[in-house]
């Protein structure tokens, strides 16, 4: 699918991988709507790319429905491109110090990362069903974001790994379900990227992280994730699979 001239929704587009993706798609001619919990920053990025923004909590179904409906009103139809980047990465042991349990953290991470992705995918696909097919037979493409942690999650990442494992696992059944309507579903599992989350870490911690990345021997650039998302949109034979984008990284136990 060509990107130019089509409506695109990017969740989590106010920062990090989502912001890079929103900027990249806009540069290729997409009309981009950013859905993000941080409405103020989302509006700032949207203004810079001549797009649109809507404050949205992806874990809340009603908020997602409003966000997608708002995007449809702007485009005049459902978006053909949807990239789910919204997510959180709270770390906690299953049983912490003095036997403290982390069930509330687990629930929150699942609600945002997994249920949030499902919510957006649901309402996006519902809208895409009514779009006329393109010359390729496609009506749309949905790209979800998992993580390298879904396969090799570290100590303290049980909630995060579970949420991202769920995102990866539903890729194929979702692609099979939406195949009859010409909607592709793909998932990207990024490794360690230079995002605001990483910028908060001490230099020695980042250096230790980078030491585990074979090649390129550095953190990933958000623009590299964005480029992969763009490649997925433009390649109609990519469907129903998870692509790791991680410099051959395999995360150590901790």
């Amino acid at each position: 699918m060509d990107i130019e001239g089509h409506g695109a929704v990017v969740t989590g587009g106010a920062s990090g991988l989502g912001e890079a993706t929103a900027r990249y798609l806009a540069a290729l001619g997409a009309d981009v709507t950013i859905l993000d919990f941080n409405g103020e920053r989302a509006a700032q990025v949207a203004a810079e790319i001549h797009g649109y923004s809507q404050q949205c909590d992806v874990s809340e179904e009603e908020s997602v429905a409003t966000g997608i409906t708002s995007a449809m009103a702007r485009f005049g139809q459902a978006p053909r491109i949807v990239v789910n980047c919204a997510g959180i990465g709270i770390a906690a042991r299953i049983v912490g110090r003095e036997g403290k349990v982390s069930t509330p953290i687990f629930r929150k991470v699942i609600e945002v990362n997994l249920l949030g992705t499902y919510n957006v995918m649901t309402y996006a696909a519902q809208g895409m069903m009514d779009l006329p097919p393109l010359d390729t037979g496609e009506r749309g493409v949905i790209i979800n974001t998992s993580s390298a942690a879904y396969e090799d999650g570290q100590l303290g990442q049980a909630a995060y790994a579970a949420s991202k494992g769920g995102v990866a696992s539903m890729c194929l059944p979702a692609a099979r379900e939406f195949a009859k309507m010409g909607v592709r579903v793909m998932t990207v599992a990024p490794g360690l990227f230079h995002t605001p989350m990483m910028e908060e870490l001490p230099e020695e911690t980042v250096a230790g992280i980078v030491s585990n990345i074979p090649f390129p021997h550095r953190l990933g650039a958000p623009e590299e994730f964005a480029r992969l998302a763009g490649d997925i949109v433009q390649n109609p034979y990519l469907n129903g699979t998870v692509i790791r984008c991680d410099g051959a990284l395999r995360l150590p136990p901790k």
Side-chain angles (χ1 to χ4, degrees), residues 147-154 157 189-193 198 206-220 244-254:
S147 166
Y150 96 93
E151 288 189 313
D152 33 90
Q154 296 179 291
Q157 284 190 326
L192 301 171
F193 278 71
M198 281 292 178
V206 174
I209 290 171
V210 170
S211 68
N212 291 309
I213 304 174
F215 185 82
H217 193 56
R218 59 171 172 78
L219 295 176
R244 285 184 66 132
C245 185
D246 58 17
L249 169 71
R250 294 300 178 268
L251 295 170
K254 61 180 179 179

Side-chain angles (χ1 to χ4, degrees), residues 126-221:
Q126 183 185 53
M128 289 175 182
M129 292 172 65
D130 296 327
L131 291 172
L134 301 173
D135 292 343
T136 59
E138 296 174 273
R139 284 187 168 86
V141 56
I142 299 169
I143 302 171
N144 297 326
T145 302
S146 179
S147 166
Y150 96 93
E151 288 189 313
D152 33 90
Q154 296 179 291
L155 188 152
Q157 284 190 326
Y160 185 72
S163 69
K164 294 301 187 177
V167 172
S169 294
M170 68 182 179
C171 179
L172 180 58
R176 286 172 165 169
E177 176 180 341
F178 300 151
K180 62 181 179 295
M181 67 179 80
V183 173
R184 296 185 289 122
V185 180
M186 286 288 292
T187 298
V188 178
L192 301 171
F193 278 71
H194 193 276
T195 62
M197 193 180 302
M198 281 292 178
E199 292 173 0
E200 297 174 359
L201 299 176
E203 287 186 16
E204 60 271 20
T205 302
V206 174
I209 290 171
V210 170
S211 68
N212 291 309
I213 304 174
F215 185 82
H217 193 56
R218 59 171 172 78
L219 295 176

Side-chain angles (χ1 to χ4, degrees), residues 3 17 20-21 24-25 28 143 218 221-234 245:
I3 293 173
L17 303 181
T21 301
Y24 185 75
L25 294 176
L28 292 178
I143 302 171
R218 59 171 172 78
E223 293 75 17
E224 292 169 321
F225 175 94
R227 190 187 311 167
L228 176 56
D231 290 343
I232 290 171
V233 173
Q234 295 173 89
C245 185

Side-chain angles (χ1 to χ4, degrees), residues 5-250:
H6 291 311
V9 167
V10 180
T11 71
S15 64
L17 303 181
E19 179 181 347
T21 301
R23 292 183 182 278
Y24 185 75
L25 294 176
L28 292 178
D31 186 359
V32 179
T33 290
I34 294 173
L35 302 183
D36 200 287
F37 190 77
N38 186 340
E40 183 177 347
R41 174 60 183 164
Q44 180 182 339
V45 175
E48 292 172 1
I49 63 174
H50 305 290
Y52 173 75
S53 70
Q54 175 79 33
Q55 196 280 335
C56 181
D57 180 350
V58 295
S59 69
E60 297 291 338
E61 185 177 351
E62 185 175 337
S63 182
V64 171
T66 299
I68 296 296
T69 300
S70 178
M72 290 173 66
R74 172 183 171 81
F75 303 144
Q77 61 179 17
R80 289 194 184 271
I81 302 165
V82 173
V83 185
N84 270 308
C85 293
I88 57 175
I90 306 172
R93 292 173 182 257
I94 298 170
V95 181
R97 294 179 180 178
E98 301 177 356
K100 184 178 180 180
V101 300
S102 60
T103 305
I105 292 176
F106 186 91
R107 181 178 295 110
K108 179 65 175 178
V109 174
I110 292 294
E111 286 177 348
V112 175
N113 293 356
L114 180 54
L115 183 59
T117 298
Y118 186 88
N119 283 339
V120 176
M121 182 170 64
T122 297
Y123 283 95
Q126 183 185 53
M128 289 175 182
M129 292 172 65
D130 296 327
L131 291 172
L134 301 173
D135 292 343
T136 59
E138 296 174 273
R139 284 187 168 86
V141 56
I142 299 169
I143 302 171
N144 297 326
T145 302
S146 179
S147 166
Y150 96 93
E151 288 189 313
D152 33 90
Q154 296 179 291
L155 188 152
Q157 284 190 326
Y160 185 72
S163 69
K164 294 301 187 177
V167 172
S169 294
M170 68 182 179
C171 179
L172 180 58
R176 286 172 165 169
E177 176 180 341
F178 300 151
K180 62 181 179 295
M181 67 179 80
V183 173
R184 296 185 289 122
V185 180
M186 286 288 292
T187 298
V188 178
L192 301 171
F193 278 71
H194 193 276
T195 62
M197 193 180 302
M198 281 292 178
E199 292 173 0
E200 297 174 359
L201 299 176
E203 287 186 16
E204 60 271 20
T205 302
V206 174
I209 290 171
V210 170
S211 68
N212 291 309
I213 304 174
F215 185 82
H217 193 56
R218 59 171 172 78
L219 295 176
E223 293 75 17
E224 292 169 321
F225 175 94
R227 190 187 311 167
L228 176 56
D231 290 343
I232 290 171
V233 173
Q234 295 173 89
N235 189 332
Y237 209 60
L238 286 174
N239 194 18
T241 196
V242 180
I243 300 175
R244 285 184 66 132
C245 185
D246 58 17
L249 169 71
R250 294 300 178 268

